[in-house]
Amino acid sequence: MIFTKDLMAKVAKLSRIYLTDEELDKFTSQMQSILDSVKTLSTADASIDRTIISKYSTVPFASLRDDVAKESLDIKQVQANATYTLGRFIKVYGTTFDSE
Amino acid sequence: MSLMKYKDEYDLIVGLEIHLQLTTESKMFCSCNNKYFQAEPNSYTCPVCLGLPGALPVPNREAIVRTIKLGLATDSTIATELKFDRKHYFYPDLPKGYQISQYDNPICYNGVISILNDEGKYDLIDLYRIHIEEDVAKTVRESDNDGTFVLIDYNKSGVPLVEIVTKPVIHDAKTAKKVCMRIRQMARYLNISDADMEKGQMRCEPNISVQRKGSWKYADGKILPVDNAKLNPKVEIKNIGSISAVEKSIEYEYERLIEDIKLGKQIIQQTRGWNAEKGVTEFQRSKESAEDYRYFKEPDIPIIRIEQVDIETVKSSIENNPIDAEKELLSKGLSVYDVTVLTADISDYLRFTSFYSVVSSELGDSRELLKLLANIYTGPITSYLNEYPDTDLVDNAYIALFVKLFDYTMKSKIIVSKAKELVTGILEKRVLLSDLDEIVNNSVGFDGIETIVSTVLAENVKAVEDYRAGKVSVIGFLLGAVMRKLGGNGDPNVIREIILSELKK
């Protein structure tokens, strides 16, 4: 796959990151080299017995967490890493987008 | 300007995406309290629902049980392996940068929404899927001297959500509304969600397109072009705050799209928001495609095995289902109207069945009694309950009076219209047991009405002859004459039937 500058610009837009023209060039070539590495990896023999995966990588339904509410963090802990707060809210400056 | 001409040229095609918040005790992937409504902002949060690095999600079994219940109630196939995926997008309400959802292996698929029609049969709306995911945080946009900002409350982040997706098989706004009503009703019967749209517990998002007649066909759950025709892209509508707005927004968007086509405007795939105040949809953004979300399997949650025994256990725990309720009442001879009214709301349905059970334990189970009680329940009792919703119909203060009243009514000693009046009197505690006996002694039952009808027919020989000569409108005249003799105290429908019966003799 050829990773173009336009594609890099689209990924940046989806990630809500503004990139300069120089950064677009820089990251386009880096993304191309990541994809080339993945292509190399994909040539390796990765055939695995599916039944082994099924047996060891799944969990039974009955073992899932019980529906019991427990104590949450206090507001100081919740806001500890927030740059801005307002009352009990976390405050984020900048242009935002609609939720999904 | 009339769009009718264009409506004849274009078909409306609608698919629905409906989200339900599950009313579990704890959130979907952490043990934070799920009852966040009116809680203080950011009081029910932890490293998992705040998306802090290294925090691991642990699925809530009850949320999955509730989703399986919905799947079973919609005749869906339940997946035997439950896989979660990451859906990536960047918004302040989603601190991880991805939502844990399900992509290619939903927990339920190939189900149907069954809607009772006026003929007492079921119209079927095919479902693509029902899947589980997590809700996002609540954000409020504001601004101050430093610029625009959002205030974030993470209490809603991680609340269990099910998403129900129909196939694009809906072709009118009214049916779309009925599908939403049915899902809300199911959620409440199954006790999986309160499904209150005003509180955001249920969100309906129609996907709408208009296509020129003959340019499209439906196959394998998809809208496909006929003869390489160019199909119009779809529009998704969000911010719909009520069931009635589902219908209104679709009707509005249908007209808007047709008008744009007529004006030669390019139709683009987009998300629009419903503005209830203005009654219009407004552009929000161009829609991202599935590949833009870069889905991949959630590596922090192993695949969950769901055995047949698990599904059977869930099935046996379902206590109420609106379709079973409808079918049971229909099989006992109630009209579609009565069944629809009695089963619309689970609390009404349970109250009615409990009421019938207590009354029939005294008077015997019969179709006639069920029809009588349905008639009275959907009339004066419902009116009274609308005003006094906490009334206990099977309270000892009422039940002996109701049993006696219905016994008299079944024995034709009290006509139905009089019984309806007396029900209100009983509920208002104006009528005593002794009053009922006195009323019966002074009122005219069926036998009495038949006598009065015979008298009226004898006094109006010309009218009887006119009727027999084909002038059916004289029934109204005869009915009026009987009603006058009864002092207006009779059920016109019953009297009409008696007059017709006497005229045929």
Side-chain angles (χ1 to χ4, degrees):
Chain A
M1 178 187 178
I2 305 297
F3 198 85
T4 63
K5 193 172 172 181
D6 284 348
L7 210 45
M8 187 63 240
K10 184 172 183 187
V11 171
K13 187 185 169 199
L14 290 169
S15 306
R16 318 300 182 209
I17 298 170
Y18 175 75
L19 296 179
T20 62
D21 205 48
E22 291 75 28
E23 285 170 327
L24 280 174
D25 284 332
K26 180 182 167 187
F27 293 131
T28 300
S29 66
Q30 288 185 359
M31 288 291 275
Q32 185 65 61
S33 92
I34 291 168
L35 287 174
D36 290 343
S37 301
V38 172
K39 193 176 175 186
T40 305
L41 278 174
S42 68
T43 60
D45 180 8
S47 57
I48 303 172
D49 184 344
R50 174 71 194 157
T51 55
I52 294 173
I53 297 177
S54 184
K55 187 174 176 186
Y56 293 104
S57 67
T58 64
V59 295
F61 178 65
S63 70
L64 297 181
R65 175 171 64 83
D66 288 337
D67 182 29
V68 178
K70 294 182 180 168
E71 201 169 326
S72 293
L73 296 177
D74 68 45
I75 193 65
K76 280 186 184 167
Q77 291 172 305
V78 173
Q79 295 179 329
N81 296 317
T83 310
Y84 304 102
T85 60
L86 181 68
R88 294 182 62 94
F89 290 98
I90 289 170
K91 188 177 181 184
V92 177
Y93 280 100
T95 305
T96 59
F97 303 84
D98 288 313
S99 167
E100 282 302 282
Chain B
M1 175 190 56
S2 170
L3 292 169
M4 287 314 293
K5 177 185 159 197
Y6 298 97
K7 285 183 178 175
D8 289 341
E9 288 177 28
Y10 290 92
D11 290 315
L12 169 68
I13 300 168
V14 180
L16 290 169
E17 290 177 17
I18 298 171
H19 286 88
L20 286 174
Q21 281 184 343
L22 300 176
T23 47
T24 50
E25 294 298 318
S26 62
K27 291 187 180 179
M28 185 64 227
F29 297 112
C30 64
S31 296
C32 284
N33 196 319
N34 195 36
K35 311 272 193 277
Y36 72 91
F37 188 66
Q38 292 189 326
E40 283 197 295
N42 292 310
S43 52
Y44 297 147
T45 59
C46 72
V48 173
C49 54
L50 284 172
L52 300 186
L56 289 174
V58 185
N60 178 345
R61 186 175 60 248
E62 177 60 22
I64 299 167
V65 164
R66 288 174 185 229
T67 311
I68 294 174
K69 282 184 179 178
L70 185 61
L72 292 169
T74 53
D75 290 329
S76 300
T77 305
I78 310 298
T80 53
E81 288 190 344
L82 178 58
K83 176 171 82 79
F84 287 100
D85 300 280
R86 290 183 178 182
K87 178 185 180 182
H88 296 80
Y89 63 94
F90 288 86
Y91 295 110
D93 59 12
L94 192 69
K96 298 194 291 293
Y98 58 85
Q99 178 188 34
I100 303 178
S101 180
Q102 291 193 280
Y103 181 47
D104 49 354
N105 293 109
I107 182 168
C108 311
Y109 53 97
N110 289 344
V112 289
I113 297 292
S114 308
I115 298 172
L116 185 62
N117 64 26
D118 293 342
E119 285 78 46
K121 294 178 179 166
Y122 284 93
D123 296 327
L124 303 180
I125 304 295
D126 290 337
L127 295 180
Y128 267 130
R129 56 190 284 158
I130 299 173
H131 69 255
I132 311 175
E133 57 190 26
E134 58 179 338
D135 209 342
V136 296
K138 181 184 176 187
T139 55
V140 181
R141 289 183 210 208
E142 291 191 18
S143 61
D144 60 16
N145 292 337
D146 296 323
T148 305
F149 59 87
V150 286
L151 296 176
I152 311 174
D153 173 7
Y154 287 103
N155 283 346
K156 189 163 73 74
S157 171
V159 165
L161 275 185
V162 290
E163 180 172 343
I164 303 135
V165 186
T166 76
K167 293 182 179 176
V169 291
I170 300 167
H171 300 290
D172 64 279
K174 205 170 281 301
T175 301
K177 180 183 172 185
K178 285 180 183 172
V179 171
C180 295
M181 288 173 72
R182 176 60 110 188
I183 289 173
R184 181 176 65 181
Q185 183 194 34
M186 277 187 161
R188 292 175 179 173
Y189 266 73
L190 297 168
N191 196 23
I192 62 171
S193 170
D194 293 339
D196 186 338
M197 286 187 74
E198 287 182 3
K199 291 180 183 170
Q201 294 163 338
M202 177 172 168
R203 294 161 229 161
C204 303
E205 289 152 5
N207 280 276
I208 300 170
S209 75
V210 292
Q211 308 295 351
R212 187 176 284 279
K213 283 186 188 294
S215 70
W216 64 279
K217 64 181 177 183
Y218 175 77
D220 299 328
K222 291 177 185 162
I223 303 298
L224 302 171
V226 170
D227 297 334
N228 296 322
K230 187 173 179 297
L231 296 183
N232 293 314
K234 64 184 179 183
V235 173
E236 182 175 0
I237 306 178
K238 288 180 177 284
N239 303 350
I240 295 176
S242 68
I243 296 266
S244 61
V246 172
E247 186 178 10
K248 286 179 193 162
S249 64
I250 293 172
E251 282 171 352
Y252 173 84
E253 192 59 20
Y254 181 35
E255 297 210 350
R256 190 193 70 80
L257 283 167
I258 289 176
E259 196 165 342
D260 274 6
I261 292 169
K262 179 179 152 286
L263 294 171
K265 291 185 184 173
Q266 190 192 358
I267 308 294
I268 56 164
Q269 182 165 327
Q270 60 185 292
T271 300
R272 299 180 70 86
W274 174 243
N275 183 329
E277 210 167 290
K278 294 180 183 169
V280 300
T281 63
E282 294 165 339
F283 177 81
Q284 287 186 331
R285 61 189 152 90
S286 55
K287 182 74 179 160
E288 285 160 8
S289 63
E291 52 193 39
D292 290 339
Y293 290 124
R294 291 149 289 142
Y295 282 98
F296 65 74
K297 182 190 171 299
E298 167 56 82
D300 290 337
I301 303 175
I303 288 172
I304 298 155
R305 288 194 310 277
I306 302 175
E307 312 281 357
Q308 192 55 37
V309 66
D310 298 321
I311 297 171
E312 291 303 323
T313 304
V314 174
K315 191 184 258 181
S316 64
S317 71
I318 295 176
E319 292 178 2
N320 295 295
N321 177 336
I323 298 167
D324 290 346
E326 286 166 355
K327 286 181 176 172
E328 189 184 349
L329 294 181
L330 284 169
S331 73
K332 290 181 175 173
L334 291 194
S335 68
V336 172
Y337 172 80
D338 280 346
V339 169
T340 305
V341 173
L342 290 170
T343 58
D345 184 276
I346 180 149
S347 56
D348 262 334
Y349 172 69
L350 294 177
R351 183 138 57 175
F352 173 73
T353 50
S354 157
F355 183 53
Y356 177 75
S357 170
V358 172
V359 175
S360 65
S361 70
E362 297 289 332
L363 299 178
D365 182 19
S366 70
R367 286 186 174 215
E368 289 67 31
L369 181 65
L370 184 68
K371 282 185 182 179
L372 173 66
L373 263 61
N375 185 357
I376 285 174
Y377 191 95
T378 55
I381 291 183
T382 298
S383 302
Y384 188 84
L385 291 176
N386 286 339
E387 205 165 338
Y388 304 101
D390 296 330
T391 306
D392 179 8
L393 293 177
V394 294
D395 187 293
N396 286 336
Y398 297 132
I399 209 68
L401 285 151
F402 281 138
V403 167
K404 189 152 200 171
L405 172 65
F406 299 140
D407 188 31
Y408 281 144
T409 313
M410 295 281 285
K411 289 172 178 165
S412 304
K413 291 182 178 173
I414 292 179
I415 57 176
V416 175
S417 60
K418 187 70 185 172
K420 285 182 175 177
E421 282 176 34
L422 291 168
V423 160
T424 308
I426 290 171
L427 290 168
E428 290 173 352
K429 298 186 176 165
R430 288 186 284 104
V431 174
L432 305 173
L433 270 174
S434 55
D435 295 333
L436 287 178
D437 291 329
E438 196 179 326
I439 289 163
V440 166
N441 291 335
N442 294 330
S443 69
V444 183
F446 278 167
D447 294 345
I449 294 172
E450 280 176 0
T451 308
I452 291 171
V453 167
S454 298
T455 306
V456 167
L457 296 186
E459 289 171 357
N460 295 280
V461 178
K462 171 124 188 6
V464 173
E465 284 172 357
D466 286 348
Y467 174 81
R468 287 181 175 145
K471 193 177 175 184
V472 292
S473 61
V474 296
I475 286 289
F477 165 75
L478 295 169
L479 178 62
V482 175
M483 291 293 284
R484 277 193 295 281
K485 281 191 187 290
L486 285 167
N489 189 22
D491 183 335
N493 291 326
V494 173
I495 297 166
R496 192 172 194 280
E497 288 303 312
I498 295 172
I499 294 172
L500 287 170
S501 165
E502 288 293 311
L503 286 169
K504 283 176 188 166
K505 283 182 182 172

